[in-house]
Structure formats: structure tokens, C-alpha cells
């Protein structure tokens, strides 16, 4: 559930869905000639705006808290992940260099054998 609550698009979709349901209820009641002073299109728009504002507040607060107050364990883990990534990139670069050297050596051997055959 938390992965949805810290997503602003989720809050916007929630506001759209609630606004649509409330608008449908307003239309249904209007057809039946039932009117409530507090249920108008303006109050529905205000309510959906409130939901988006609440979502913005929640997402902003959550992001600030998570990014500001990381635990020591999380910081160590992040450093370890970065170090592992660096080691992986170095190993990949070394493997590519070794492969390139091998191909150059094969090309030299092929050139020498072509020269010897002539």
C-alpha cells in the first residue's frame, strides 16, 4: 500500500475516481429532483482538489523524511551497493580489455600465417 501512497499519480487518479463517483451521484439526485446545498459541482471540485493537495503533502513529506533521515544501516548498505557496482564495472572493463587483447593477438597470428603462406 505504501508504494501507492507515495506516488502522486496514484493520488491524482484517486481524486479523479472520487470526483467521477460524486458527479454521478449529483446527476442521479438531480434527475430525481433531490438537491443538497452542500453537494454541488463546485464542492466536488473542491474535494478533488483537496485530495490532490493532501497527496502532494504526503508525497513531499514522505520523500523528505526518507531522504533526510536514513538509518546508519541504510547508509552502509548504500555505500556497499555503490562499491559493488564499481567493482562490477571494473571487472567488466577488464574482461573487455582481455577480450580485445586476445582478438588483437589472433589477428596478428592470422597475419603471420598469411605472410608465411605467401
Amino acid at each position: 500500500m505504501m508504494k501507492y501512497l507515495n506516488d502522486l499519480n496514484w493520488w491524482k487518479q484517486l481524486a479523479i475516481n472520487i470526483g467521477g463517483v460524486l458527479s454521478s451521484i449529483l446527476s442521479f439526485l438531480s434527475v430525481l429532483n433531490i438537491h443538497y446545498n452542500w453537494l454541488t459541482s463546485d464542492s466536488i471540485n473542491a474535494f478533488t482538489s483537496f485530495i490532490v493537495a493532501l497527496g502532494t503533502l504526503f508525497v513531499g513529506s514522505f520523500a523528505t523524511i526518507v531522504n533526510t533521515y536514513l538509518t546508519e544501516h541504510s547508509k552502509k548498505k548504500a555505500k556497499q551497493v555503490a562499491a559493488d557496482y564499481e567493482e562490477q564495472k571494473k571487472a567488466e572493463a577488464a574482461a573487455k580489455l582481455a577480450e580485445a587483447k586476445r582478438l588483437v593477438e589472433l589477428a596478428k597470428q592470422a597475419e603471420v600465417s598469411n605472410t608465411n603462406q605467401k
Side-chain angles (χ1 to χ4, degrees):
M1 181 68 179
M2 187 56 91
K3 78 176 189 177
Y4 297 114
L5 292 179
N6 62 8
D7 181 12
L8 188 56
N9 287 328
W10 182 84
W11 285 96
K12 289 177 183 177
Q13 285 298 319
L14 177 69
I16 290 169
N17 289 337
I18 291 174
V21 169
L22 290 176
S23 295
S24 297
I25 291 170
L26 176 64
S27 298
F28 173 76
L29 294 175
S30 295
V31 168
L32 295 176
N33 203 19
I34 300 172
H35 300 284
Y36 293 101
N37 292 336
W38 53 269
L39 186 61
T40 64
S41 59
D42 290 335
S43 66
I44 293 171
N45 289 337
F47 188 65
T48 56
S49 296
F50 173 76
I51 292 172
V52 172
L54 181 67
T56 304
L57 175 67
F58 186 82
V59 170
S61 300
F62 182 79
T64 301
I65 290 168
V66 167
N67 290 328
T68 304
Y69 297 104
L70 291 175
T71 63
E72 286 300 315
H73 175 71
S74 296
K75 288 180 183 178
K76 288 178 185 176
K77 188 174 180 180
K79 286 180 183 177
Q80 183 62 42
V81 167
D84 290 347
Y85 180 75
E86 275 300 314
E87 288 300 319
Q88 180 185 3
K89 286 298 178 185
K90 286 179 184 177
E92 288 174 4
K96 285 181 182 179
L97 181 61
E99 179 65 17
K101 286 181 180 179
R102 187 182 70 80
L103 291 174
V104 167
E105 188 60 36
L106 286 174
K108 284 181 183 178
Q109 288 174 0
E111 185 177 310
V112 167
S113 83
N114 283 343
T115 305
N116 290 338
Q117 288 178 357
K118 290 181 181 181

